[in-house]
Amino acid sequence: MTGGKYKYLYPYASMYDENGNPAAVIKDFRASFSDSLERLGFQNWDYRPADEMNSTQTYFSLQNLLLRASIKYNFLKYFNLEVNYQNERQMIFSQKYFDNQAYYVRNLVNTFSFYNSTTRTLTKGLPEGGIMAISDYDWQGNSFRSSASFQRRLNAHIIKAVIGGEIRELSAAGFERENVGYDNIKGIPITNLNTSTSFPLTPTGSATLDDKLNLSGENDGILNRYLSYYAIIDYNLLRKYDLTIVGRRDGTNLFGARTNERIKPFWSLGGGWHIDKEEFFRSNVINILRLRASVGENGNIYNGSAYLTASRGVDQLTGLPSSLIANPANDDLSWEKVKIVNLGLDFALFKSKLFGSIDVFSKNTKDLVQQVNLAPQTGYTSALINSAATTAKGLEITLNGSLKVRSVELLSRMYVTYLTDKLEKYDQAPNRQLIILNDPNSVMLFVKGRSLKGMFSYKWAGLDPNTGDPQGYLNGQVSKDYSKILNNFQPDSLVYHGSAFPKWFGTWRNDFRYKRFIFSISLNYKFNYYFRRPGLELSYPALLSRTTNLEYHQRWQVPGDEQHTNVPSLVFPANDLRTQFYQRSDILVERGDHIRLQDIRFSYQSPFKNKGLIKSYEVFSYMTNLGILWRANRLGLDPDVPHLSTAGNSNRVPIPFTISIGTNVKL
């Protein structure tokens, strides 16, 4: 919604006038412009939000059918057989009807209307009537699993073995389409339309009906199949030493046409040592102490295809069916492989009042699927190949503790995670869009030697004391040549801050119990990461048409302001390159470290009764997102709010505080 000269709805805009009638809110065009067109025969172009609720009808239907069957059979004392089957089907249908008074319909009808000032005639390219948007999808999933297990103890030896397999299939088919000139009573649309003709648009431009509406429709479908069979052997000696061996073969129809590419072997090997059960181990403090280690290789599935894929549609010029090749075939496309090494320690202290685990791990991923550019003479623009590689290292700590003082009992749980990653191999040359323009919260960074969630910025050189222009560096010298600065996107010419994803993060939760009352409080924390705050639009036209920013009051206005502000001056006409440099400079990057009070829960649980209709009940109050207790940035910004989007500033709001009160009753 918009209002007046602003793109977004201005504060306190009213949807009703002083008499209680729906009020028009300016949207897309000035009122004087739309009024002048209405006098020429165009439909009324006013936007009344209160009327839109009565001009739109939405219907949504979701049918879900789930069937499960399971058979378990024990035989020959040591053997077990289990078979499971599951079938799930979802039928999703939705339709949205806009009548002829809906702004969506009137806007399209007017847009495809053209007034000839010479003949004083109005030609309409889109028929009047309602618009019906329909989508219909049918999802089906089938899975079949079977396993046979063996377990036996022979003196100091315990042997467990499992062999099994699984087959899964996921299929979906459906369509989306829009109908125009639709009569919702008769259920009949107008079909004799020329969707390939380009019509002149009001106020300017030209387009076909298919450019603005989904008249030709879209038919989508997928068919994914997975196959896996495996063997697991667990061996324990003297209840002190553990050994686990896993071998499996996984397959899918998403990869190469060759069988040895579709189905790949994977494995893992693990061992454990119960130190606390050794005769030499004596401790009144440590109750449990177990050391474990594992190494193995798993496979990742890429959501793509090794076969030639194309998207079908209608050619805008001829109106005939057409196909656009999206990806060429690659018989060698295969699984992404992840080698994992893990070392862990399990412990319990003080009669198990304090227990937990510590894990150190590394992940080396190779044959990652990446998109590479192809020479134009091949007939394709790009292809998917197994080429990229990454490494990741981390630490996970889990602590659990309990303490009881008279009638008060405390249960405390803490989770700590450290994670760092690095891109080891990537064949594509870096470009400005991937390195500097994209939001690292939603798009990965592909720069060798850096984190996949890394953040780069242009180096800031302060404001020009005479004009308030933002300044950067070019070839080591202070410069305002924004075009050359922006195109100097090589990683060694930029400032690398670190990861936009926290390297340290976790949760600390405490439950206090007094008789039948329970009070719970949870803290979340994230450390060692960065975020980019939104910067002011640096021109007067953009200031009115885009999201506003508090930096407006801090902008440079007169010489000397550069001593106490880093916000550039506003200019006219607009200079988008100037704004791009400022909004992607390192002056707007902040530390994201913070500690958040995530939630508080207070409840009362009644005693359980065997007699009566109500066996027990619980009354509770739950509050979430209570606020940030500490943050590294001094601007009061919430780092968890996505402040920037790929299109520039976004008008996101902080995560809202919520409170709920309820009861659970068992009958």
Side-chain angles (χ1 to χ4, degrees):
M1 289 187 283
T2 61
K5 56 187 176 181
Y6 301 100
K7 180 178 179 181
Y8 299 98
L9 186 67
Y10 53 82
Y12 308 109
S14 177
M15 293 190 294
Y16 295 92
D17 60 22
E18 59 276 8
N19 298 319
N21 299 316
V25 177
I26 305 302
K27 180 178 175 66
D28 297 327
F29 305 107
R30 298 189 308 271
S32 58
F33 175 76
S34 58
D35 290 343
S36 65
L37 292 180
E38 187 175 0
R39 290 192 291 270
L40 297 177
F42 286 76
Q43 290 194 12
N44 179 274
W45 220 326
D46 291 342
Y47 177 65
R48 294 181 173 85
D51 284 341
E52 292 299 306
M53 295 183 290
N54 300 321
S55 299
T56 305
Q57 301 176 23
T58 302
Y59 173 80
F60 178 81
S61 171
L62 172 61
Q63 300 181 47
N64 188 36
L65 178 63
L66 180 63
L67 173 65
R68 290 176 180 170
S70 178
I71 299 175
K72 295 182 180 180
Y73 179 62
N74 302 328
F75 61 98
L76 298 179
K77 189 177 180 179
Y78 305 110
F79 294 89
N80 296 281
L81 179 66
E82 184 173 353
V83 178
N84 295 280
Y85 172 75
Q86 177 174 300
N87 174 273
E88 184 175 11
R89 184 178 183 185
Q90 280 191 352
M91 292 166 285
I92 307 172
F93 176 80
S94 68
Q95 64 180 26
K96 190 169 185 178
Y97 174 68
F98 303 88
D99 66 25
N100 59 0
Q101 294 303 310
Y103 181 82
Y104 177 68
V105 176
R106 290 182 286 114
N107 180 55
L108 284 171
V109 171
N110 285 341
T111 299
F112 279 97
S113 298
F114 177 73
Y115 181 77
N116 189 320
S117 58
T118 303
T119 61
R120 297 185 178 181
T121 57
L122 183 67
T123 304
K124 296 184 178 181
L126 187 68
E128 296 184 0
I131 295 179
M132 175 68 79
I134 300 175
S135 68
D136 191 3
Y137 286 92
D138 189 352
W139 292 76
Q140 293 193 59
N142 288 279
S143 66
F144 177 82
R145 290 181 296 167
S146 64
S147 64
S149 61
F150 167 83
Q151 180 175 344
R152 187 173 184 183
R153 179 178 179 182
L154 296 172
N155 299 323
H157 309 277
I158 300 177
I159 301 175
K160 299 178 183 178
V162 180
I163 59 172
E166 179 181 11
I167 300 175
R168 289 183 290 130
E169 180 184 88
L170 175 63
S171 63
F175 71 89
E176 296 181 8
R177 184 180 67 248
E178 284 184 298
N179 297 318
V180 298
Y182 193 87
D183 188 326
N184 199 31
I185 298 178
K186 298 179 180 179
I188 301 176
I190 294 177
T191 57
N192 57 337
L193 299 172
N194 190 344
T195 59
S196 60
T197 299
S198 182
F199 293 94
L201 303 181
T202 298
T204 183
S206 62
T208 66
L209 294 179
D210 262 340
D211 289 336
K212 301 290 186 179
L213 292 156
N214 188 15
L215 298 178
S216 299
E218 297 177 1
N219 293 292
D220 301 313
I222 60 171
L223 178 61
N224 296 340
R225 290 171 175 163
Y226 307 92
L227 169 68
S228 177
Y229 46 95
Y230 58 89
I232 304 173
I233 298 176
D234 286 330
Y235 173 72
N236 177 272
L237 176 63
L238 299 172
R239 296 186 179 273
K240 300 178 183 179
Y241 315 105
D242 300 319
L243 177 64
T244 301
I245 302 174
V246 178
R248 60 185 302 133
R249 288 178 67 88
D250 295 332
T252 176
N253 66 332
L254 298 177
F255 295 125
R258 301 171 185 164
T259 302
N260 61 342
E261 300 297 344
R262 291 199 303 264
I263 303 177
K264 285 288 186 179
F266 301 104
W267 58 275
S268 67
L269 177 66
W273 178 23
H274 297 261
I275 304 175
D276 57 281
K277 297 185 182 298
E278 295 288 354
E279 294 183 359
F280 64 80
F281 185 84
R282 295 288 185 273
S283 176
N284 295 325
V285 176
I286 303 175
N287 313 118
I288 297 175
L289 189 63
R290 178 175 180 255
L291 183 66
R292 47 187 167 77
S294 64
V295 60
E297 186 178 69
N298 297 325
N300 279 341
I301 295 176
Y302 180 79
N303 188 21
S305 175
Y307 303 96
L308 184 135
T309 57
S311 58
R312 293 181 296 179
V314 177
D315 187 89
Q316 295 184 2
L317 295 178
T318 64
L320 299 175
S322 64
S323 295
L324 178 64
I325 295 177
N327 185 68
N330 182 1
D331 293 342
D332 296 323
L333 197 66
S334 184
W335 290 75
E336 299 175 339
K337 303 177 183 66
V338 184
K339 185 177 181 180
I340 304 174
V341 178
N342 188 89
L343 182 64
L345 180 69
D346 301 322
F347 59 89
L349 312 174
F350 310 114
K351 297 181 181 180
S352 297
K353 291 183 178 179
L354 177 64
F355 62 95
S357 63
I358 302 174
D359 285 88
V360 180
F361 62 87
S362 69
K363 295 182 180 181
N364 296 327
T365 307
K366 63 180 182 179
D367 293 338
L368 283 169
V369 176
Q370 71 167 97
Q371 193 171 45
V372 296
N373 296 328
L374 299 179
Q377 56 266 32
T378 63
Y380 307 102
T381 57
S382 62
L384 298 175
I385 63 172
N386 294 99
S387 178
T390 64
T391 59
K393 298 178 181 179
L395 169 70
E396 292 181 347
I397 302 175
T398 301
L399 293 175
N400 298 272
S402 62
L403 178 65
K404 188 173 184 179
V405 179
R406 296 182 179 178
S407 299
V408 179
E409 183 179 4
L410 167 64
L411 299 176
S412 183
R413 296 178 292 276
M414 175 175 284
Y415 304 96
V416 180
T417 301
Y418 170 77
L419 180 64
T420 180
D421 69 296
K422 183 168 63 174
L423 182 65
E424 300 290 351
K425 181 182 178 183
Y426 191 74
D427 294 336
Q428 284 288 87
N431 62 69
R432 179 167 166 256
Q433 180 68 38
L434 291 178
I435 291 181
I436 198 74
L437 292 184
N438 284 336
D439 184 354
N441 290 297
S442 56
V443 180
M444 288 189 292
L445 175 75
F446 297 108
V447 175
K448 186 177 179 180
R450 301 300 189 183
S451 169
L452 290 171
K453 289 295 184 180
M455 180 182 292
F456 280 98
S457 297
Y458 296 109
K459 190 174 182 180
W460 178 256
L463 298 178
D464 186 318
N466 298 316
T467 62
D469 291 332
Q471 300 179 127
Y473 288 93
L474 184 64
N475 300 323
Q477 301 295 321
V478 176
S479 173
K480 294 195 296 183
D481 191 337
Y482 304 118
S483 177
K484 291 183 178 179
I485 294 176
L486 294 177
N487 286 308
N488 187 21
F489 53 80
Q490 295 302 317
D492 56 355
S493 300
L494 303 172
V495 177
Y496 180 73
H497 303 279
S499 177
F501 185 83
K503 290 187 176 181
W504 289 94
F505 58 94
T507 303
W508 184 24
R509 183 174 183 82
N510 292 280
D511 298 330
F512 299 88
R513 181 187 293 269
Y514 174 73
K515 296 183 178 180
R516 297 195 171 277
F517 295 93
I518 301 176
F519 176 78
S520 302
I521 183 171
S522 178
L523 301 178
N524 291 351
Y525 51 89
K526 298 179 181 179
F527 302 126
N528 199 0
Y529 76 111
Y530 298 84
F531 73 99
R532 195 187 308 277
R533 59 184 173 88
L536 179 68
E537 296 286 343
L538 301 183
S539 68
Y540 289 100
L543 187 67
L544 297 177
S545 63
R546 300 178 186 175
T547 309
T548 55
N549 192 301
L550 288 176
E551 285 190 340
Y552 174 81
H553 301 287
Q554 304 164 5
R555 72 193 187 282
W556 186 100
Q557 299 182 66
V558 296
D561 285 351
E562 69 278 358
Q563 301 296 326
H564 55 79
T565 185
N566 284 307
V567 181
S569 58
L570 297 185
V571 296
F572 182 85
N575 185 339
D576 289 338
L577 298 180
R578 184 176 182 263
T579 299
Q580 284 185 34
F581 165 72
Y582 171 63
Q583 292 183 343
R584 297 296 168 173
S585 65
D586 62 354
I587 196 66
L588 295 180
V589 175
E590 304 286 345
R591 289 291 297 258
D593 306 35
H594 69 280
I595 301 175
R596 182 187 303 275
L597 180 55
Q598 183 61 37
D599 59 65
I600 293 178
R601 191 178 192 274
F602 182 74
S603 66
Y604 170 79
Q605 295 178 341
S606 70
F608 184 82
K609 297 180 180 180
N610 291 321
K611 297 181 179 180
L613 178 62
I614 299 178
K615 304 299 182 183
S616 66
Y617 64 89
E618 178 192 31
V619 180
F620 66 88
S621 175
Y622 182 63
M623 295 176 286
T624 60
N625 302 315
L626 286 91
I628 296 179
L629 302 179
W630 172 87
R631 70 190 93 201
N633 78 84
R634 300 179 180 179
L635 303 175
L637 297 176
D638 187 344
D640 283 346
V641 175
H643 296 283
L644 294 178
S645 65
T646 56
N649 290 347
S650 62
N651 54 344
R652 304 293 179 91
V653 296
I655 303 172
F657 164 76
T658 61
I659 182 171
S660 59
I661 300 174
T663 181
N664 296 319
V665 179
K666 293 184 179 180
L667 304 178

